Structure formats: C-alpha cells, structure tokens
Amino acid sequence: MLKRFHLENHKYMKTIQFREAIAEAMSEEMRRDESIYLMGEEVAEYNGAYKASKGMLDEFGPRRVIDTPISELGFAGVGVGSAMNGNRPIIEFMTFNFALVGIDQIINNAAKIRQMSGGQFDCPIVFRGPTASAGQLAATHSQAFESWYANCPGLKVVVPSNPRDAKGLLKSAIRDNDPVIFMESEQMYGDKGEVPEDEYTIPLGVAEVKREGKDVTIVSFGKIIKEAYKAADELEKEGIQCEIIDLRTVKPMDTEAILASVKKTNRLVILEEAWPFGNVATEITYQVQQKAFDYLDAPIAKINTADTPAPYSPVLLEEWLPNHEDVIRAVKKVMYK
C-alpha cells in the first residue's frame, strides 16, 4: 500500500522558504545531537552561499559550523573519517558540480566502508548542496548527477521539491546510519511553502502522490516537477487527468508507488532534468516494463535534457531544458491524441 505523509496530522503550519526549511532541519538536529556538525565553503561567517545556514554559526559556534578552504576532496575526507569515529557530519558542497573534486571520498570510502570493514564502521554522513541547472551558469555548473550517485551501492540519494519535504527528508537523512546524498536546487531556495510547526520527519524511500488522476501517471522529482504541475493544469482543461508522483528519494526508489499508479492509469511519462542516456528515468522504465508490462496501454515516454552539455546562451538553454510543453506533448502521445 502506498504510504503518504498527511499534512492533516499537523495542527499548526507556517510558511517558510526552502532555505529556511534546510536551516531549520539542520539546527533542530544539531540541538538534539551534539555529534552533528556542518562543514563546507562559506557555511559559517557568510551564513551559507545561499543562506541555507543562516544564524547557525551564532548558535552553535565555530567548532560545529566550520568554514573550509576550497578543497572538496579534503573536507569530504575529513567528514568521512569523523563519521567513522562517531560523529554525524553534514558536508555542504556549494554545488554538486564541485563534488566531482571529492567524489573519490564519496564513492570509494563513504559508500564502501561498512562492507569493507565487515560492519565495524558505519558512515552516517550527509553530503548536501545544489544540483542541476540554475540559469545561465554554463556547462560545468549545470549538471544533474542523481543517477551517478544512485548507481553506487551504499549511497542513498534524496532530491526534495518543496520546503515541507526538504525539512522532513533532511532530518531523516541526518539520522540515517548510511551516507546520504541530499540534492537541492539553487532556483528553489527562495520558494515558499507550508511546513508543520511541530516535530516531524519524512521517511527515506517513500514517494508521494502529489496530484490524483486517472488517465496518465507522471513521475518526476526535484525542481523540474514544477513543469509537470503546469502541464497537468493545462491538460485538465482538456479533460485529461494526470496523476503526479514525486519520487523524493531516488535511491532507494519507491517502485511500488509507481507500479500502483501505472496499474491504475495504464500510461507513464517520466520527467527528469538529466542527460538522456542511462538515467533515473531509464531505470523506472525498466522496472515498469518488467513488473507491469501487461498494464501498459502505450509505450513509456521519458523526457530529459538534450544530449549535450548545458549551453550558456539563454535561447539554447531554453531549448535544452525540459518544460511543461514537452510534458503536454508526451502525455498526448501516450494517450494517442
């Protein structure tokens, strides 16, 4: 049965920005557990490159909110070593594009140390920061690596799309005893949304149906899911009801939630901001055709970026990035309209 997080369970709600939800999650967990600390470039004195750690240095001091040199390999390694020795670090990358400098620590140490030590060491660490494109930042600052990290056994990969999910999922990620890749978006830090005022967490590995529908299933995650919402609003005017599933956690993936929806709608469109070859949408496509082939009334459609580095030109960038019109065309194609 599809699990859901019910807002009605929370009496009091407040409206805050995405960056505030991130800061609240980290601060609440740091108050609860003294082994948690935040480390990264400009997280302390500058209050975070995107102000996602605003006020945390004043509250927790320089021993627990730590500015680092521009050396991702170095501070990622420090984080992994301290996690093996009883701490629960949160490592912020200014962008996951820069995490490529420290990926050896993530892939070869954090993801593997429990197995290679025969269970003697846990690695409870969160690597967090922005993912994917954020406007005209050019090719080396506009990459989505969710499928790269999800491909590596030992890592969990989380990509929230709104403040409420971001806070609940980040608290769960910090408490998890495995390394978690927590990917945000520069273009979402200012987004506002309702968040419960009381304590809550959202379990990792559980997707959510954000919009009920009977005609077609749209699966997405992260900031690009907004294009699915726009498309669904337009399609509803034509009498087409879209069911939208937000993965929230890419790995472990809530395949059962996707299958349950496809068995109801019999059609599937997957929207992902990533290059088209060997991505999250590819895995979803395989899982659905393997486990629900007889329920499909049309081939699965997946929507990705163009198979090129992200262009700097605003005109080319608009063509490169998926949008709601692409979703509308894909939905109509699987419905033979």
Side-chain angles (χ1 to χ4, degrees), residues 4 13 20 30 56 61 73 93 106 108 119 164 213 220 227 232 235 242 244 264 278-279 305 311:
R4 299 227 183 127
M13 306 292 290
E20 294 174 304
M30 287 174 71
M56 292 180 65
L73 182 63
F93 296 118
I106 300 171
N108 281 328
R164 184 254 295 177
S220 190
E227 300 301 315
L235 288 163
C242 301
I244 300 178
K264 178 173 73 170
N279 51 37
T305 67

Side-chain angles (χ1 to χ4, degrees), residues 135-146:
Q136 286 181 266
L137 297 184
T140 60
H141 290 64
S142 304
Q143 303 169 109
F145 295 122
E146 292 88 348

Side-chain angles (χ1 to χ4, degrees), residues 56-261:
M56 292 180 65
L57 175 63
D58 292 339
E59 178 174 357
F60 300 105
R63 288 177 59 85
R64 297 184 67 196
V65 182
I66 306 165
D67 278 331
T68 68
I70 302 175
S71 179
E72 286 79 9
L73 182 63
F75 63 79
V78 169
V80 172
S82 69
M84 292 168 60
N85 283 277
N87 292 303
R88 307 185 78 88
I90 305 166
I91 304 300
E92 178 181 308
F93 296 118
M94 196 176 292
T95 159
F96 263 96
N97 296 279
F98 301 161
L100 295 185
V101 182
I103 199 169
D104 178 59
Q105 291 293 339
I106 300 171
I107 300 295
N108 281 328
N109 290 329
K112 297 177 174 61
I113 196 62
R114 175 180 284 180
Q115 184 192 46
M116 293 197 304
S117 69
Q120 294 179 80
F121 290 103
D122 288 333
C123 193
I125 186 171
V126 175
F127 298 99
R128 53 159 293 270
T131 184
S133 65
Q136 286 181 266
L137 297 184
T140 60
H141 290 64
S142 304
Q143 303 169 109
F145 295 122
E146 292 88 348
S147 62
W148 287 32
Y149 289 110
N151 185 255
C152 180
L155 299 177
K156 296 177 180 176
V157 181
V158 180
V159 193
S161 67
N162 60 77
R164 184 254 295 177
D165 287 357
K167 182 177 180 180
L169 289 165
L170 183 53
K171 287 169 74 73
S172 292
I174 293 168
R175 297 180 189 186
D176 201 286
N177 286 328
D178 292 316
V180 179
I181 308 296
F182 196 93
M183 309 180 94
E184 302 151 16
S185 170
E186 292 173 52
Q187 293 184 321
M188 290 180 64
Y189 284 121
D191 287 3
K192 292 183 178 180
E194 284 193 332
V195 171
E197 289 193 353
D198 54 320
E199 167 70 16
Y200 76 100
T201 60
I202 296 176
L204 306 186
V206 180
E208 185 177 41
V209 176
K210 297 293 191 184
R211 182 180 182 132
E212 301 275 356
K214 64 179 180 61
D215 295 318
V216 60
T217 298
I218 303 174
V219 176
S220 190
F221 58 90
K223 79 172 188 289
I224 202 69
I225 199 172
K226 295 177 185 179
E227 300 301 315
Y229 298 143
K230 292 178 189 176
D233 288 340
E234 291 297 317
L235 288 163
E236 190 171 34
K237 297 173 185 176
E238 301 180 33
I240 299 172
Q241 296 182 20
C242 301
E243 180 147 295
I244 300 178
I245 295 179
D246 187 344
L247 277 185
R248 304 195 296 194
T249 302
V250 170
K251 191 170 184 186
M253 185 183 293
D254 191 355
T255 307
E256 292 305 315
I258 300 170
L259 293 174
S261 181

